[in-house]
Amino acid sequence: MALTADGSEQKELTQTPLLKIWVPWMGCNLNRRRGSSVPQFCNSPTMIVMVGLPARGKTYISKKLTRYLNWIGVPTKMFNVGQYRREAVKIYKNFEFFKQDNEEAMNIRKACAAAALKDVTAYFTKEQGQVAVFDATNTTCERRAIILNFAKEKGYKVFFVESICEDPEIIAENIKQVKFGSPDYVDRDIEEAMEDFVQRIECYRASYTSIDDDKDRKLSYIKIFDVGSRYLVNQVQDHIQSRIVYYLMNIHVTPRSIYLTRHGESELNLLGRIGGDSGLSPRGQKYANALAIFIKSQNIKDLKVWTSHMKRTIQTAEALGVQYEQWKALNEIDAGVCEELTYEEIQRDFPSEFALRDQDKYRYRYPKGESYEDMVHRLEPVIMELERQENVLVICHQAIMRCLLAYFLDKPGDELPYLRCPLHTTLKLTPVAYGCKVEPFFLNIEAVNTHRERPVK
Amino acid sequence: MMRGCSSSRTKLTQNQDRTVCMTNCPTLIVTVGLPARGKTYISKKLTRYLNWIDVPTREFNVGQYRREFVKIYKSFEFFRPDNEEGLSIRRQCASAALNDVRQYLTEEGGQVAVFDATNTTRERRETIIQFAEQNGFKVFFVESVCEDPDVIQENIVQVKLESPDYTNCNTEEAVKDFMMRIQCYENSYETLDEVLDRDLSYIKIMDVGQRFLVNRVLDHIQSRIVYYLMNIHITPRSIYLCRHGESELNVKGRIGGDSGLTPRGKEFAKKLTQFIQKQDISDLKVWTSQMKRTIQTAEALGVPYEQWKVLNEIDAGVCEEMMYEEIQESYSLEFALRDQDKYRYRYPKGESYEDLVQRLEPVIMELERQENVLVICHQAVMRCLLAYFLDKTAVELPYLKCPLHTVLKLTPVAYGCKVESICLNVEAVNTHRERPENVDVSRMSEEALLTVPAHQ
C-alpha cells in the first residue's frame, strides 16, 4: 500500500456513481463540487456593481450576465435596487422622487440600497452564491465608497461595470423597449412617460461622477462606451472577472434572430435508439426539404448555418443548399456504454445507471460518456460565438438544443434536461427587452417522439 | 475556432468604405510602441498561440529586415530623426516587410500577419492602413504603453542585451545606447488617440496589463486576440508538466481506458511528492484530469488539486483499451491512416489531436493567467500542451517525447521557454511509438508494428 505525503496509507479511489468522479472516499468534499468538468476558480464571492445613468443598459447587462454565469455553473443573483424602491414606495408619482433635494426620497433610496446589500450578504453566506450583481445607478463616488467598504468588511471582491452612452437614439430606444413596460409607467401614455423619464435622467446627471481613471486606478472595472464600440478595462483580478470581461465584450444589441432545430428524423430515432451516427429517415429528408423552404420564406439577411459533425445534421443542412459550418462541440451527448441502445436495453443492462440518471439528469454522467453539465461546458464557445453573430440557424441534437435553449430562456439545471425539443420543429428566438421571444414552427412532417418525461417518483 | 469548416475564404469586393470586409479575410496585426515596450514579446507569443489554435500566423519583425540590410549596427545615431539615410533605409525595410506580408496572406495561405515595428507615428500607421485596404486585409493595432522604468530596464536586460545589435558591447554601453535609441522615437511618438483614431480597431495595453483600452473589435479572431492579450502576464513562474504514474494498462501495452497505477506508478507518485517539496514552489496549483491514474498520482501529494475533464486523455473511440497489435489486426486501414497524418486523424467514435487542442484551449488560457502550476495529465494531452509552450508544429506535435515518470519544468525566459527535463528515476514502460517508415495502407503487419514499444 502506498503512503501519502504525510505518511498515512493511501486509500483506493472510488468513482462516485452519479458524476463518475474519482474520489479518495465517498463522503469527501470533491463529491459535492459543482461544475464538475471545469474547475470554478472562485474563491471569494464577487460583487459586480453596475454604474451609469438611467437608460444606459445596466439592467439589460445585469440580467444577461446573471443568466450567462448561472448557465456556466457559477451561482449568480441579481439585486435590482429599483425593485426594492418599488416595494418600499408602492406608487410612483413622478420624477420629483429622484430630485437631489428630495430628502425623504433620498432616505428611502439609501435604505433600499442598504436592504439590497443585506440580501447580498445573505445570498453569499446562506445560499452558497458566488456572484451578486448589484444593479443600480451608483453614480456618485460616495455611493461607490459605501459599497467598497461593505465589500471590504465582508471579504468580497468588487468589479464595477460602467455603461456610458450619449447617443440620444440609443437612449430613446432603451426607454421605449423597457421603460414603458415598467410598473412605474403602467398608467401613463407614451409621451408622458418619455417626458418624465427624461427628467428622471436629469436628476442624476448633475451629481454623476464617472469612475475616475486616475483616482480609481486601483479599482477593478470595465467601462463600456456607446454600447460596446469601446471598452476600458482596469485591474482584472481573477478568472471570473476575466470571463465576465470577455463576455461583455462579445455581446451586442443589434436586432437579430437565432433559429434552433434538431436534425431531421434519423434511422436510429425510428428504432428508438439513442446516440449513434445514423442518416436521415425518409421523413427526416422531407423535413430537411421543408426546412429549406421555411428558411427561404423567412427572408433572413446574411444567415449563418451551423451543424455538428454528425451525419444527420449535415444531411439536413445539405438540403438548404447554402454554406454551413461544422462544430464538433455541437455533437450530441456521448452516451458512453449506452450508445445506440434503446431505453429498454439500458434498463435491462444498466438498471442502476438508468435510475441514477432519473435522479439527477443534469449531473448524471454516462459511464465512459458525458453529462448535460459536461455539455454545457463544451457548448460555451458556441454560445460566445452566437452572442457575437447576428442571424444564425443551428441544426443540432436533442440534448444540445436543450442546453442552448436553457441559456436563452434562463432555465436552471433541473429543468434543462426536460425541455421539449421535438423533431421537425424549429424555434425562432428573438431577443426583446430583457428576455427572448420564442416562436415555434412545426413544419408539418410527422416524426417519432423522442422526449422522455421526468418519471414520477 | 470552428474546426472542419466547410466554408472557404470569400473574396473581397473593392470598396472605398474602410469597414467592408468579408469575415474570412486575412488580418494584419500591427504593433505600436516605443522600443522595449514588449512589442516583440507580444508578437511572438500571439503568433505562437494563434498557430496552436490552427490559425496560420506569421510575424514580420522590421528590425530583422533592418539588421539584414545594414549588416553592422554602429550606434543609436542610426535612429536619429534627422538621419536621412537611416530614415530611408528604415522605410525601405518596412516596405519590404509589408511585401512579404502580402505574399504570406495572399499566396501562402496565411490567415494572420503580425507586423512588429514601432509604428509610432500616425503617418506610418496610415501607410499601413492604406496597404491593408488595397489588399483586402483587416487591420488590428496592438499598442503597448509603459512608463515604469523598472519594467523597461528589465525588458532591456532580458532581450536587448542578447540582440545581434549589441554582441560587441558590454552591458553598460548597451543599456546606455539603447536608452538613447528610445529617446530618438519619443519626440515623434503619437499614441493611438481615442478621438482621432476612433474608427480604428485596436487594443492599447497599459503598464503590462494593468489597464486596457479596446476599440472597435470587428470579428471573432480580434475578440480572441483581445481575450488572450488580457490574460497573459510576465510575472516569473514555472509550469510543471508530467504524466500520471505508470498505469496497469500501460504495462499491458493497451491505450486509453481508466485504469489505476501499478506499484511503480505509485512509487513515482511518492518521488513526485518529494521532488515538488524540494522545489519549494510558492503557491503551487495542482491540476489533474478526471481519470483515475492522474488523480491517484495527485492524491500522493497531499495537497488540494483541481480536476479538469478536458485534461482527459485522447478518446480512442473503438480502439479504447486495445493493444497496437490488436488495432493492426482489426483496424489496419485506420492504423495506416493514423500514421499518415497523426495530427488530424480521428479515431472512429473518438478524437484527433486536432480535437484535443481545441478542448485544451481553456486550459492554456488559464495556465496563462496562473503562476506556478503542476499539470498531471496524459501522453497525448501533454504533447499538445508542450507544443503550445515550445511552438511545435502540428506535424511534430504527435511525436513529441513525453515519457512516463519524467517531469518537464517550463520557465518563460526572454522570448521563449526554458525546458528542464527531470527524470525521477523510477522504471516505467516506454509508451512512445515512432512513426514507422511505411505508412501505406497496403503495408505488411510487421511494417506497421515495427515501432511499437515493448510491453507485457
Side-chain angles (χ1 to χ4, degrees):
Chain A
M1 174 91 71
L3 299 179
T4 57
D6 63 2
S8 59
E9 280 180 358
Q10 190 175 29
K11 300 181 177 70
E12 263 307 309
L13 296 183
T14 41
Q15 198 177 44
T16 62
L18 188 83
L19 300 176
K20 311 289 188 299
I21 305 264
W22 290 101
V23 293
W25 70 92
M26 267 317 174
C28 92
N29 237 349
L30 290 171
N31 197 7
R32 278 174 272 124
R33 185 161 14 119
R34 274 180 294 259
S36 59
S37 61
V38 173
Q40 286 306 300
F41 299 111
C42 245
N43 295 323
S44 8
T46 303
M47 277 187 72
I48 299 177
V49 181
M50 304 303 300
V51 179
L53 292 173
R56 263 59 178 177
K58 298 185 299 300
T59 303
Y60 175 82
I61 290 169
S62 299
K63 285 186 185 256
K64 217 170 150 71
L65 195 50
T66 302
R67 176 162 59 89
Y68 168 70
L69 290 172
N70 278 313
W71 187 75
I72 62 168
V74 180
T76 304
K77 192 168 175 188
M78 198 185 128
F79 298 84
N80 176 283
V81 177
Q83 264 312 106
Y84 286 74
R85 189 259 307 157
R86 273 184 279 275
E87 267 153 51
V89 184
K90 301 295 176 201
I91 309 220
Y92 172 73
K93 288 210 206 86
N94 61 36
F95 75 92
E96 307 248 344
F97 182 84
F98 292 97
K99 283 178 79 164
Q100 289 292 301
D101 51 9
N102 184 340
E103 277 214 42
E104 191 193 339
M106 275 296 184
N107 286 331
I108 296 176
R109 289 159 71 195
K110 265 195 213 112
C112 288
L117 286 179
K118 201 155 158 252
D119 287 351
V120 165
T121 306
Y123 178 61
F124 285 150
T125 51
K126 305 202 185 106
E127 296 175 49
Q128 280 96 51
Q130 205 64 85
V131 177
V133 183
F134 193 71
D135 179 21
T137 50
N138 298 317
T139 39
T140 61
C141 295
E142 190 198 346
R143 172 56 60 85
R144 296 195 288 268
I146 293 174
I147 298 171
L148 281 165
N149 283 332
F150 163 83
K152 189 158 172 220
E153 244 177 78
K154 310 271 184 187
Y156 307 152
K157 287 187 179 170
V158 178
F159 188 74
F160 291 98
V161 177
E162 180 169 11
S163 173
I164 296 169
C165 180
E166 285 313 318
D167 182 334
E169 277 182 40
I170 296 178
I171 297 166
E173 182 63 25
N174 281 359
I175 299 177
K176 248 179 42 204
Q177 279 237 1
V178 297
K179 301 301 176 186
F180 295 154
S182 154
D184 290 345
Y185 295 110
V186 103
D187 297 318
R188 288 332 131 81
D189 71 28
I190 294 190
E191 248 178 69
E192 260 184 66
M194 178 65 95
E195 179 57 46
D196 183 271
F197 202 81
V198 167
Q199 294 280 37
R200 204 153 118 176
I201 299 177
E202 289 314 303
C203 293
Y204 284 90
R205 203 187 283 280
S207 61
Y208 178 23
T209 326
S210 180
I211 296 177
D212 190 303
D213 295 330
D214 197 46
K215 299 207 196 92
D216 296 321
R217 86 178 79 84
K218 295 240 158 72
L219 300 183
S220 297
Y221 62 87
I222 179 172
K223 273 191 198 180
I224 305 172
F225 297 91
D226 300 319
V227 204
S229 112
R230 196 166 87 244
Y231 304 90
L232 185 80
V233 180
N234 197 64
Q235 301 285 1
V236 171
Q237 291 171 47
D238 61 14
H239 175 92
I240 196 69
Q241 290 180 17
S242 164
R243 294 284 287 277
I244 288 165
V245 165
Y246 185 41
Y247 181 72
L248 292 176
M249 287 175 53
N250 280 317
I251 61 180
H252 67 78
V253 292
T254 312
R256 50 82 171 252
S257 289
I258 294 168
Y259 297 79
L260 299 182
T261 179
R262 288 167 68 187
H263 52 82
E265 183 190 68
S266 74
E267 307 278 347
L268 285 178
N269 283 148
L270 277 178
L271 297 171
R273 295 183 174 283
I274 66 173
D277 194 10
S278 59
L280 299 180
S281 69
R283 295 196 299 196
Q285 189 58 59
K286 276 214 187 83
Y287 173 70
N289 299 334
L291 183 64
I293 296 169
F294 168 70
I295 291 297
K296 268 213 190 71
S297 74
Q298 287 277 301
N299 239 322
I300 309 151
K301 166 172 111 71
D302 269 331
L303 179 72
K304 298 270 168 28
V305 179
W306 296 354
T307 69
S308 69
H309 275 206
M310 296 181 137
K311 187 174 182 184
R312 50 203 189 275
T313 57
I314 294 170
Q315 271 184 303
T316 310
E318 279 289 322
L320 302 175
V322 297
Q323 278 188 335
Y324 55 91
E325 309 242 26
Q326 298 179 25
W327 292 71
K328 187 167 193 282
L330 285 173
N331 279 5
E332 183 56 317
I333 189 170
D334 182 357
V337 301
C338 298
E339 276 284 317
E340 299 195 44
L341 298 185
T342 61
Y343 287 122
E344 291 79 11
E345 287 166 349
I346 300 174
Q347 172 60 42
R348 181 192 70 203
D349 299 338
F350 304 98
S352 57
E353 291 295 328
F354 205 42
L356 280 170
R357 187 159 205 252
D358 284 340
Q359 277 175 30
D360 190 344
K361 197 175 175 189
Y362 182 69
R363 289 191 179 72
Y364 170 81
R365 191 183 275 169
Y366 279 107
K368 302 199 177 176
E370 295 177 297
S371 62
Y372 271 92
E373 193 173 27
D374 293 330
M375 269 202 301
V376 160
H377 285 114
R378 73 166 154 92
L379 283 170
E380 204 262 349
V382 176
I383 287 295
M384 198 61 89
E385 191 56 23
L386 274 173
E387 286 295 345
R388 287 199 57 78
Q389 293 284 348
E390 293 183 20
N391 295 314
V392 187
L393 164 65
V394 184
I395 304 173
C396 54
H397 306 266
Q398 183 168 247
I400 296 283
M401 190 162 156
R402 284 170 170 157
C403 292
L404 297 177
L405 202 55
Y407 167 75
F408 288 109
L409 303 185
D410 203 15
K411 299 295 183 187
D414 63 334
E415 287 179 52
L416 185 161
Y418 297 101
L419 294 174
R420 275 186 191 288
C421 295
L423 286 165
H424 299 187
T425 305
T426 300
L427 293 183
K428 177 178 177 179
L429 304 169
T430 311
V432 70
Y434 293 138
C436 217
K437 181 171 85 166
V438 196
E439 291 167 78
F441 292 93
F442 174 58
L443 298 193
N444 259 320
I445 313 279
E446 286 294 310
V448 294
N449 173 24
T450 57
H451 186 91
R452 206 178 144 264
E453 279 296 358
R454 190 197 304 261
V456 189
K457 194 58 179 86
Chain B
M1 294 303 267
M2 288 147 259
R3 216 66 48 167
C5 271
S6 63
S7 60
S8 47
R9 244 196 271 176
T10 44
K11 263 173 36 176
L12 166 78
T13 43
Q14 288 294 348
N15 199 311
Q16 298 289 32
D17 187 350
R18 190 169 276 187
T19 55
V20 168
C21 212
M22 300 301 139
T23 46
N24 287 323
C25 60
T27 303
L28 180 59
I29 297 175
V30 181
T31 62
V32 178
L34 293 173
R37 263 53 176 185
K39 298 184 300 298
T40 301
Y41 175 82
I42 289 169
S43 298
K44 286 184 183 267
K45 216 170 150 72
L46 194 50
T47 300
R48 177 163 57 89
Y49 169 70
L50 290 172
N51 278 313
W52 187 76
I53 62 166
D54 222 1
V55 179
T57 305
R58 191 184 291 176
E59 43 146 350
F60 298 82
N61 177 284
V62 177
Q64 261 312 104
Y65 286 74
R66 188 260 305 157
R67 273 183 280 275
E68 279 167 33
F69 202 92
V70 184
K71 302 293 176 202
I72 309 221
Y73 174 73
K74 289 208 207 86
S75 78
F76 75 91
E77 309 253 349
F78 179 83
F79 291 96
R80 286 178 59 154
D82 54 3
N83 181 344
E84 285 290 344
E85 194 189 340
L87 281 173
S88 166
I89 292 173
R90 289 155 70 194
R91 245 179 258 127
Q92 281 178 59
C93 289
S95 286
L98 284 180
N99 226 356
D100 287 352
V101 162
R102 186 209 333 264
Q103 182 157 330
Y104 177 65
L105 296 179
T106 53
E107 291 161 39
E108 294 175 28
Q111 190 77 59
V112 177
V114 184
F115 189 71
D116 177 20
T118 48
N119 298 316
T120 39
T121 62
R122 194 156 278 115
E123 187 195 346
R124 167 59 59 86
R125 296 194 290 267
E126 192 50 47
T127 309
I128 299 170
I129 292 168
Q130 281 180 30
F131 161 84
E133 256 171 56
Q134 280 164 15
N135 289 286
F137 306 150
K138 282 183 182 173
V139 181
F140 188 73
F141 291 96
V142 176
E143 179 170 16
S144 173
V145 176
C146 179
E147 286 316 317
D148 183 338
D150 291 333
V151 173
I152 296 165
Q153 178 81 7
E154 182 62 24
N155 282 0
I156 297 176
V157 165
Q158 279 238 0
V159 297
K160 300 300 178 186
L161 302 183
E162 300 304 311
S163 157
D165 291 344
Y166 295 111
T167 35
N168 295 324
C169 302
N170 68 34
T171 303
E172 235 183 271
E173 275 173 31
V175 172
K176 195 153 158 242
D177 183 273
F178 201 81
M179 290 302 208
M180 296 300 292
R181 205 154 118 175
I182 298 177
Q183 263 192 39
C184 293
Y185 286 89
E186 264 164 357
N187 283 336
S188 60
Y189 181 18
E190 295 169 288
T191 185
L192 286 171
D193 185 87
E194 269 175 40
V195 176
L196 294 173
D197 299 311
R198 80 179 86 81
D199 288 333
L200 301 183
S201 296
Y202 65 84
I203 178 171
K204 201 187 263 203
I205 305 170
M206 293 171 266
D207 297 317
V208 205
Q210 295 296 301
R211 174 183 293 186
F212 303 91
L213 193 76
V214 181
N215 199 65
R216 293 202 187 274
V217 171
L218 292 181
D219 61 13
H220 175 93
I221 193 67
Q222 289 180 15
S223 163
R224 292 288 284 277
I225 288 166
V226 164
Y227 184 42
Y228 182 71
L229 292 176
M230 287 176 54
N231 281 318
I232 61 181
H233 69 77
I234 54 169
T235 311
R237 50 84 170 251
S238 289
I239 294 169
Y240 297 79
L241 299 181
C242 73
R243 290 167 68 188
H244 52 83
E246 183 190 68
S247 76
E248 312 269 339
L249 287 178
N250 283 148
V251 293
K252 299 201 175 92
R254 294 183 174 281
I255 65 174
D258 195 10
S259 58
L261 301 180
T262 62
R264 296 197 299 198
K266 290 182 181 158
E267 183 61 30
F268 166 71
K270 251 179 39 188
K271 285 271 170 69
L272 180 65
T273 307
Q274 291 161 9
F275 167 73
I276 291 296
Q277 276 166 0
K278 260 216 303 257
Q279 286 274 307
D280 204 21
I281 308 152
S282 99
D283 263 328
L284 179 72
K285 300 272 169 22
V286 180
W287 296 353
T288 69
S289 69
Q290 285 188 347
M291 296 183 134
K292 188 174 182 183
R293 50 202 189 277
T294 57
I295 293 169
Q296 264 184 303
T297 310
E299 276 291 318
L301 298 175
V303 297
Y305 56 91
E306 298 266 14
Q307 298 181 18
W308 292 73
K309 186 174 192 280
V310 292
L311 282 174
N312 281 6
E313 182 57 315
I314 190 171
D315 182 356
V318 301
C319 299
E320 275 285 315
E321 300 196 42
M322 291 175 79
M323 296 189 286
Y324 288 121
E325 292 83 349
E326 291 168 347
I327 300 176
Q328 170 59 29
E329 213 189 295
S330 311
Y331 300 100
S332 60
L333 172 64
E334 293 292 327
F335 204 38
L337 288 173
R338 185 159 207 251
D339 284 338
Q340 284 176 21
D341 189 347
K342 197 174 175 191
Y343 182 72
R344 283 184 218 287
Y345 170 82
R346 191 183 278 166
Y347 281 105
K349 302 198 179 177
E351 294 177 296
S352 62
Y353 271 93
E354 191 174 24
D355 294 329
L356 261 193
V357 161
Q358 192 167 30
R359 74 162 152 94
L360 285 170
E361 204 263 352
V363 175
I364 287 295
M365 198 61 88
E366 192 56 27
L367 276 173
E368 285 295 346
R369 289 197 54 80
Q370 293 284 348
E371 292 183 17
N372 294 314
V373 187
L374 164 64
V375 185
I376 303 172
C377 55
H378 306 265
Q379 183 167 247
V381 171
M382 188 162 159
R383 284 170 171 157
C384 292
L385 298 178
L386 201 55
Y388 167 74
F389 289 107
L390 303 185
D391 204 14
K392 298 295 182 186
T393 62
V395 175
E396 297 170 284
L397 186 162
Y399 295 101
L400 293 175
K401 285 211 194 302
C402 295
L404 286 165
H405 300 184
T406 305
V407 181
L408 292 184
K409 177 178 176 180
L410 305 167
T411 311
V413 71
Y415 292 140
C417 218
K418 181 172 84 168
V419 196
E420 289 167 72
S421 172
I422 304 121
C423 174
L424 294 193
N425 269 320
V426 179
E427 285 289 309
V429 294
N430 172 27
T431 58
H432 185 93
R433 186 176 161 267
E434 283 294 358
R435 188 175 195 266
E437 261 203 59
N438 192 345
V439 298
D440 208 65
V441 298
S442 61
R443 67 190 174 175
M444 311 282 279
S445 262
E446 302 80 59
E447 293 172 289
L449 298 174
L450 208 57
T451 55
V452 171
H455 56 85
Q456 269 171 18

